[in-house]
Amino acid sequence: MGADIINGTHWNIERDEADIAWLHLDMADSKVNLLKGAVIDELDGILDKFSDNMPNAVVILSDKKNSFVFGADIQEFTTLENSEQAQAFLDRGHKLMNKLAALPCPTVSMVHGICLGGGTELSLACKYIVASDDKATRIGLPEIKLGIHPGYGGTARSIERCGPLAAMDIMLTGRALPSRTAKKIGLVDEIVPLRQLKHAARCYAMTAPKRKGTGFVKRLLNHSLLRPVIASQMRKQVSRKAKKEHYPAPYSLIDLWQKHAGNLKRMLEEEAKAVAALAITETARNLVRVFFLQEEMKSKGKQTSYKPKHVHVIGGGIMGGDIASWCAIQGYNVSVQDQSPERLAATYKRAQASFKKKYKRDRRAIVAASDRLMMDHKGVGVSQADLVIEAIFEDAEVKRSLYQEIEPRMKDDAILATNTSSIKLEDLSSSLKKPGRLVGLHFFNPVAMMPLVEIIRGNETDETVMQQASAFARDIGKLPLPVKSSPGFLVNRILMPYLLEAVTMVGEGIPPEVIDKAATDFGMPMGPIELADTVGLDICKNVAHILAQALNTPLPENLEAMVGSGKLGKKSGAGFYNYKKGKPVKNKNAHYGKPQEVQDRLVMRLLNEATACLREGIVESDEMIDAGVIFGTGFAPFRGGPINYIRTEGSAELGKKMHELEKSFGKRFTPDAAWEGL
Ligand code: NAI
């Protein structure tokens, strides 16, 4: 390809000898492409100029490595103050997409790498989409995760291309599809190896083949008589995961489709109106905030390129075993040691199950992950490892004596990390010659599901070791949160008063079902009683015991009694609930006269402890408290975290509630000293 090249700020236009205009997006001063306002305006201007000199075809492509367009600029999104501004923001995008869709020549989007949100909508406005079959290629419309739905024409155009079921599924889940799946549902027209992508784009541009129609069934499903029935099924499914008052976006998307599908122009107009309304909701603002918090956590540990070659895990129990298999899945060479060979056999079996779950029928990947994971009864791996993760019994004495034994065998610069959930690092480092190399890597259970890892800084932990531990957590796909070594660290400390309040309420005779419902109504993913049963009442009791001493909170008698009688929760078949096939048996008719008070008691304890952690500087900022509680406990993300919630609702208003509860239930509801300053 020779010919004219015009370089713009973000777009470079290349017109080849066949008069195809190749529009290269290379957003200035950025590693990735975003569809920010300036990028949209520049492309809009380019398309305007085409009207005097229309090319034979237009191809849109990215000049960034392994990525197409990550989506709209979310930072710009945060500047929208009212629905008029939001409407103008969306109209700008709509104007461009409509102009692109109306070009009289063939238009092709050539996708390689990440293509999300606005990037997918830009592609949908082209007549053809060709994509590389590379692993790096992922295509999706994840707007729902930010409390909105596609707003640059993506709703109507994805439904037009893929039919309502597939399109609504990707929009409602927000998941990004590998290119093969995208082809299967008709989202892209062709997938080819990367080396042939340009050729494929050129073929589509030159020959403009007739596109396959949507098919009779898909058209039928979009019919106005069927839409209400299907929409009501969709609402039912969504309501299992998200309540309308908490997450309005999926419901708005279903309404939009039900009312306006079949009329493209109308649906596009209504889409912009709907997203303009959603964009300024508290939910969208908080979800956007959570997105940025997540980005901030991901940036921890970026300062170092630390990557251990060999990880050795000691303790092949629930946590150690799962940490080891997770690391193997992430590409690390791992050895796992346990004092009990029977336990190691079970660890091996569980690891195989998790590899199968992860890789499904990809035998090669399963074998490769298994090859990376060694069962090491004798602990040979200790002397080879760059990182040793200890996950043995929660007993300071036992841990200390293990450290004494292994430290002389460890490499000089190896890191020793403990997964302790409650013991202060200072109580563990006393037996070490190099206490600076001890750090906490506190994973949560179940390891594969929980995104957070608390990086615990003891008084003596080296700063470099903190950085390296964060870099490792990040590299294995977790969100690192640096936390001061103090009882319960951050997440368990904030969660425990809330759990204990729930247990105390059961002791007062309030049905567990009512307590759990009060929490899920607030937006928690699972009620505290079911959570305690799931974690294990013995584990809850141990953590509560340590916190009770440190924070002067009494341990509820009923918790002691349950553990004493062998009722340990889900794992023993009975706890606060009885379990049938791993599911709690709940009484649907359970009733209590003051459900709001139940919710207040739960939530206020949690908020008060979060405030205390803020005052004590357990993590570096109030943002990190919110992030830790959201990613460590699942705390209602649409509320933006506990500190954000206090600020939004007003600390004075919530303070009044606290004082009322204090009158009825005592000092544990006295607002923390830092409360008023929020
Ligand atoms: P577990 O009881 O399931 O596993 C502990 C394993 O360590 C057992 O297999 C035991 O045989 C082995 N072990 C004990 N002493 C050993 C030694 N000296 N050398 C080699 N192996 C030894 O315990 P779990 O639940 O996996 O907990 C491990 C650690 O992780 C504890 O510190 C716990 O506080 C922490 N943790 C636990 C969580 C949970 O939900 N279970 C969550 C987060 C942290």
Side-chain angles (χ1 to χ4, degrees):
M1 255 186 282
D4 301 343
I5 297 183
I6 302 169
N7 292 328
T9 311
H10 306 293
W11 294 91
N12 301 322
I13 313 165
E14 178 189 12
R15 266 175 110 137
D16 67 12
E17 58 276 9
D19 204 19
I20 298 173
W22 298 79
L23 306 184
H24 298 249
L25 177 55
D26 189 3
M27 185 173 147
D29 307 319
S30 170
K31 263 195 192 160
V32 297
N33 289 324
L34 298 175
L35 218 56
K36 65 174 189 173
V39 171
I40 291 180
D41 290 344
E42 193 176 324
L43 180 57
D44 200 285
I46 292 170
L47 299 189
D48 278 345
K49 285 198 188 117
F50 282 166
S51 56
D52 298 336
N53 181 11
M54 191 59 65
N56 283 337
V58 169
V59 179
I60 294 182
L61 67 162
S62 157
D63 280 358
K64 303 288 188 201
K65 198 172 167 225
N66 278 348
S67 69
F68 181 70
V69 178
F70 266 72
D73 183 351
I74 299 170
Q75 205 76 51
E76 285 184 344
F77 198 69
T78 59
T79 61
L80 305 175
E81 281 170 12
N82 51 46
S83 59
E84 290 75 39
Q85 285 179 7
Q87 185 74 46
F89 181 86
L90 291 158
D91 286 347
R92 170 150 86 173
H94 265 268
K95 188 172 134 243
L96 169 71
M97 302 303 171
N98 291 341
K99 203 175 277 181
L100 180 61
L103 282 186
C105 65
T107 46
V108 184
S109 175
M110 182 181 131
V111 177
H112 168 63
I114 299 292
C115 170
L116 296 174
T120 304
E121 299 185 276
L122 182 73
S123 302
L124 285 165
C126 293
K127 185 148 188 212
Y128 308 104
I129 306 176
V130 295
S132 77
D133 63 5
D134 199 274
K135 263 195 192 152
T137 299
R138 297 259 154 186
I139 308 174
L141 291 164
E143 289 84 346
I144 214 88
K145 294 181 182 168
L146 297 177
I148 56 171
H149 56 68
Y152 285 165
T155 56
R157 293 197 177 99
S158 64
I159 291 169
E160 216 185 21
R161 260 185 173 257
C162 316
L165 296 190
M168 291 295 274
D169 177 58
I170 55 169
M171 287 189 280
L172 288 170
T173 58
R175 73 200 154 97
L177 307 178
S179 45
R180 213 165 286 279
T181 320
K183 166 87 169 55
K184 220 186 234 169
I185 65 163
L187 185 61
V188 307
D189 297 284
E190 197 64 77
I191 54 168
V192 293
L194 178 58
R195 61 179 189 284
Q196 291 165 8
L197 188 58
K198 217 160 196 178
H199 177 67
R202 189 180 294 117
C203 283
Y204 271 83
M206 307 257 291
T207 59
K210 195 167 177 314
R211 289 203 59 235
K212 263 199 223 150
T214 352
F216 173 70
V217 178
K218 286 180 183 171
R219 281 203 310 276
L220 186 68
L221 292 171
N222 224 12
H223 193 279
S224 58
L225 283 177
L226 277 183
R227 286 203 304 267
V229 185
I230 302 171
S232 119
Q233 280 303 319
M234 286 178 182
R235 279 186 203 102
K236 226 187 236 167
Q237 267 185 13
V238 168
S239 70
R240 280 189 211 124
K241 291 203 173 141
K243 291 187 166 65
K244 191 174 179 178
E245 60 273 31
H246 297 163
Y247 295 97
Y251 297 90
S252 157
L253 173 61
I254 298 170
D255 287 350
L256 177 74
W257 171 66
Q258 183 183 339
K259 284 189 199 141
H260 305 292
N263 181 342
L264 182 71
K265 186 167 174 287
R266 185 75 199 275
M267 186 156 171
L268 289 173
E269 286 164 9
E270 295 297 328
E271 175 204 84
K273 280 189 209 159
V275 177
L278 289 169
I280 53 161
T281 57
E282 208 53 48
T283 294
R285 286 195 208 289
N286 285 335
L287 291 179
V288 166
R289 181 164 183 273
V290 172
F291 170 83
F292 284 117
L293 291 179
Q294 189 170 351
E295 292 299 297
E296 194 182 332
M297 290 174 102
K298 281 188 195 160
S299 73
K300 310 261 175 233
K302 258 194 179 166
Q303 295 81 343
T304 156
S305 56
Y306 175 78
K307 194 170 167 89
K309 286 203 181 72
H310 183 125
V311 177
H312 182 73
V313 180
I314 310 184
I318 303 177
M319 294 304 289
D322 285 2
I323 293 170
S325 55
W326 178 261
C327 291
I329 286 174
Q330 300 301 317
Y332 280 87
N333 289 321
V334 191
S335 44
V336 54
Q337 168 188 354
D338 200 289
Q339 60 189 9
S340 141
E342 293 77 30
R343 208 61 206 255
L344 270 189
T347 308
Y348 177 80
K349 247 177 134 177
R350 256 205 352 270
Q352 289 302 314
S354 56
F355 297 155
K356 276 188 195 136
K357 192 167 174 201
K358 167 80 189 168
Y359 298 117
K360 313 246 156 39
R361 288 192 199 145
D362 188 346
R363 284 288 314 154
R364 269 205 198 160
I366 296 175
V367 170
S370 308
D371 286 349
R372 287 193 291 270
L373 180 65
M374 261 174 315
M375 297 301 132
D376 177 13
H377 177 46
K378 298 222 163 88
V380 179
V382 169
S383 53
Q384 291 154 6
D386 307 292
L387 171 65
V388 174
I389 303 177
E390 169 274 307
I392 65 168
F393 301 136
E394 187 71 342
D395 180 319
E397 193 54 50
V398 179
K399 286 189 196 274
R400 272 195 299 264
S401 77
L402 173 78
Y403 295 176
Q404 249 175 347
E405 191 253 309
I406 59 169
E407 190 183 29
R409 291 164 49 214
M410 282 171 60
K411 281 187 184 174
D412 263 0
D413 58 352
I415 294 178
L416 175 58
T418 172
N419 185 46
T420 177
S421 47
S422 54
I423 307 171
K424 280 168 60 185
L425 259 66
E426 295 73 38
D427 295 341
L428 296 176
S429 59
S430 56
S431 65
L432 288 171
K433 290 214 168 61
K434 288 195 230 161
R437 302 209 69 76
L438 177 72
V439 65
L441 268 179
H442 183 214
F443 288 83
F444 292 84
N445 187 10
V447 174
M449 308 261 296
M450 298 298 286
L452 190 78
V453 175
E454 287 179 324
I455 314 290
I456 316 297
R457 183 199 304 271
N459 282 344
E460 295 176 281
T461 309
D462 287 348
E463 189 48 40
T464 329
V465 171
M466 280 300 288
Q467 295 284 346
Q468 291 173 329
S470 298
F472 170 71
R474 197 170 149 261
D475 198 57
I476 57 169
K478 299 291 178 191
L479 298 171
L481 176 69
V483 183
K484 208 160 103 176
S485 165
S486 87
F489 311 130
L490 180 82
V491 172
N492 283 345
R493 165 149 173 210
I494 293 182
L495 197 59
M496 204 40 77
Y498 156 87
L499 286 188
L500 294 184
E501 193 63 30
V503 172
T504 305
M505 286 195 264
V506 177
E508 291 168 14
I510 302 174
E513 292 84 352
V514 170
I515 300 169
D516 279 348
K517 183 168 181 304
T520 51
D521 281 352
F522 180 77
M524 302 300 272
M526 183 188 267
I529 297 296
E530 195 176 337
L531 179 64
D533 267 358
T534 308
V535 170
L537 299 184
D538 48 344
I539 293 178
C540 283
K541 193 194 114 183
N542 284 346
V543 180
H545 183 67
I546 289 173
L547 280 173
Q549 283 175 343
L551 304 175
N552 205 10
T553 327
L555 198 63
E557 280 169 18
N558 53 342
L559 182 61
E560 296 245 40
M562 302 263 290
V563 176
S565 67
K567 285 187 162 185
L568 304 182
K570 190 173 168 181
K571 62 185 168 191
S572 68
F576 287 104
Y577 294 108
N578 286 320
Y579 286 80
K580 255 193 190 158
K581 290 188 187 158
K583 293 249 181 292
V585 182
K586 292 192 179 180
N587 174 6
K588 287 196 180 100
N589 301 320
H591 175 76
Y592 178 70
K594 294 187 265 183
Q596 186 58 49
E597 185 183 273
V598 171
Q599 190 181 78
D600 289 345
R601 284 176 69 178
L602 293 173
V603 174
M604 292 302 162
R605 293 281 321 259
L606 190 151
L607 299 181
N608 212 21
E609 204 58 47
T611 312
C613 288
L614 180 65
R615 176 174 45 77
E616 289 175 28
I618 301 296
V619 288
E620 68 188 25
S621 64
D622 45 356
E623 278 87 11
M624 285 301 108
I625 291 196
D626 283 345
V629 177
I630 291 170
F631 294 111
T633 72
F635 179 94
F638 70 93
R639 298 199 191 269
I643 302 295
N644 184 67
Y645 179 69
I646 298 175
R647 292 198 172 123
T648 320
E649 294 292 303
S651 61
E653 203 51 39
L654 290 179
K656 269 190 227 154
K657 260 189 194 180
M658 288 282 282
H659 285 302
E660 276 163 31
L661 292 171
E662 187 185 9
K663 271 185 224 149
S664 313
F665 302 102
K667 278 194 169 162
R668 61 184 190 275
F669 287 100
T670 310
D672 184 85
W675 187 278
E676 272 192 19
L678 285 174

